[in-house]
Structures are given as C-alpha cells and as structure tokens.
Amino acid sequence: MNRKAKVFFYLLALVTAVAAEAEESQLRSGVFKPPRAAPDFSLLGSDGSEIKLSRYRKHVVALGFGFTSCADVCPVTLAKLAGVRKKLGAAGSKFQVLYITVDPERDRPDRLQQYLANFDPTFIGATGSPEQLADVYKAYGIFALKEQTRGSQSKYAVHHSSFVYLIDREGSLRAMFPFGQPTEDIAHDVKILLSSATEGHSR
C-alpha cells in the first residue's frame, strides 16, 4: 500500500471515529462507552417461538424487564415505548421492544402476549425457567426480588430494576434509560441509532 493510500485510510478511520463519537454525544440516555456486545439469550416468547436477541439484528431493540401484575412502573414504561414507536412512523418497523418477565410463576406466554398487546401488538414478551431467567438477569445486572404480601399465602409483589437498554442494529449495548425518561428523549435516541449505518458500528 503506497503512502497516499495509507493516508486516505487513516483519514477515513479518523472521520468514522469522530462521527461515532459525535453521535454518542447526542444521545440523551446513559451511554455505554465503549459500546459492548449485548449478551444473547434463548427464552420462550409470548408468541410461542424461541426468542433470541440475535434474531433482531438490524433492528434497534429496547430491552426491558417487568411483569404483567405490575401496578405502576411497567405500564408507564410500556406506554412510553408505545409512544416512541408511534413517533417513529414507518421507521418503527425496525424498532423492537422485548420485555422479559421477572415473574415467571404468573407470566405464561399467553398472558404476556395479551398484556403487551394492550400497548402495542408488535411488543414481544419472554419467559423461561427460573434458571434461564436468572442467567439473563445476571448478564444484564437486573435486580428482581419476590416479596410475599403480608397476611396472604398467595399474593406477592416483585421488586425489580426499571431501566431499559437500547441495543443497536449490530447487537451492541449503546444506551440505558431510567424510569421516567421522557418519551421525546427515548424517541430521539432511537432515531439516531436507526439512522446509523450498521457497518459503521461493528465492534
């Protein structure tokens, strides 16, 4: 490779790196620096199929954790994500919400499907054995604790992490937003990740 070619490829790499850094600085959620591969998993989907994160390459994925009996946090988060998808318009076909239960005892696939359809029919839930789910929680740093309701042997609540991950089209963790993040901010970040050239973010 001659000197001119070397200079060209060096400048190209520099421009690509600067563009990626500029993009990340525009994200309004908590940013992963550097981005890293999102742990894959294999769970039972609310549509009855096997759900793997890798199945959604070329999509921007919002990965959340919750349960259908949640009284407040989960419905608010899912409503925001439904609002994000509406704001994306036609581009929403490349935005996928995956919601993994923290309550496998009650959240069977059909129940997850019915619950998520109240927000958006494209949202997909996932469940599995306690062992499978524990591995996923560990991989993503998710806290989930079952607490029995006082005076009842059957009723309980589940306390859990309420943040949501944004995973880019190459399967990399790019951002994480907390409960209460404005819908406009989430949509802003998803649009940036959707507009990114997939080859520009391979890591």
Side-chain angles (χ1 to χ4, degrees):
M1 185 181 293
N2 60 37
R3 185 172 182 276
K4 287 185 177 179
K6 287 181 179 179
V7 170
F8 171 78
F9 283 111
Y10 170 76
L11 290 175
L12 180 62
L14 181 61
V15 169
T16 301
V18 170
E21 183 67 24
E23 174 195 301
E24 289 179 357
S25 69
Q26 294 171 15
L27 295 176
R28 296 174 182 173
S29 306
V31 175
F32 285 88
K33 287 189 176 182
R36 47 187 173 274
D40 204 357
F41 49 77
S42 178
L43 295 170
L44 177 60
S46 55
D47 59 359
S49 69
E50 179 187 25
I51 295 297
K52 290 187 175 183
L53 180 61
S54 53
R55 170 177 162 183
Y56 298 98
R57 291 291 168 84
K58 299 188 178 179
H59 289 69
V60 170
V61 173
L63 179 65
F65 297 79
F67 63 115
T68 62
S69 300
C70 183
D72 41 32
V73 173
C74 300
V76 170
T77 297
L78 289 166
K80 285 180 180 289
L81 292 172
V84 168
R85 193 167 187 279
K86 288 181 180 178
K87 287 180 178 296
L88 295 174
S93 64
K94 290 296 183 181
F95 174 60
Q96 181 62 58
V97 172
L98 297 181
Y99 217 61
I100 298 177
T101 185
V102 294
D103 184 15
E105 186 176 332
R106 291 181 291 200
D107 287 347
R108 302 300 181 190
D110 57 340
R111 179 166 175 161
L112 279 168
Q113 186 174 46
Q114 292 171 9
Y115 177 73
L116 293 172
N118 292 323
F119 301 95
D120 190 293
T122 69
F123 290 4
I124 296 177
T127 187
S129 70
E131 293 76 20
Q132 287 176 311
L133 291 169
D135 287 343
V136 179
Y137 302 158
K138 182 178 180 180
Y140 284 92
I142 297 300
F143 167 81
L145 177 65
K146 178 179 176 180
E147 182 180 57
Q148 207 73 32
T149 301
R150 185 174 298 177
S152 174
Q153 294 184 345
S154 59
K155 294 181 180 180
Y156 61 88
V158 182
H159 304 286
H160 63 93
S161 305
S162 58
F163 51 81
V164 176
Y165 290 104
L166 290 181
I167 299 166
D168 71 15
R169 296 157 64 189
E170 287 295 321
S172 294
L173 288 164
R174 298 297 300 280
M176 179 177 71
F177 61 85
F179 175 71
Q181 185 91 346
T183 302
E184 289 287 347
D185 287 357
I186 304 169
H188 170 273
D189 290 358
V190 172
K191 286 177 182 177
I192 288 177
L193 296 180
L194 282 172
S195 65
S196 303
T198 55
E199 62 269 22
H201 291 292
S202 299
R203 286 176 170 85

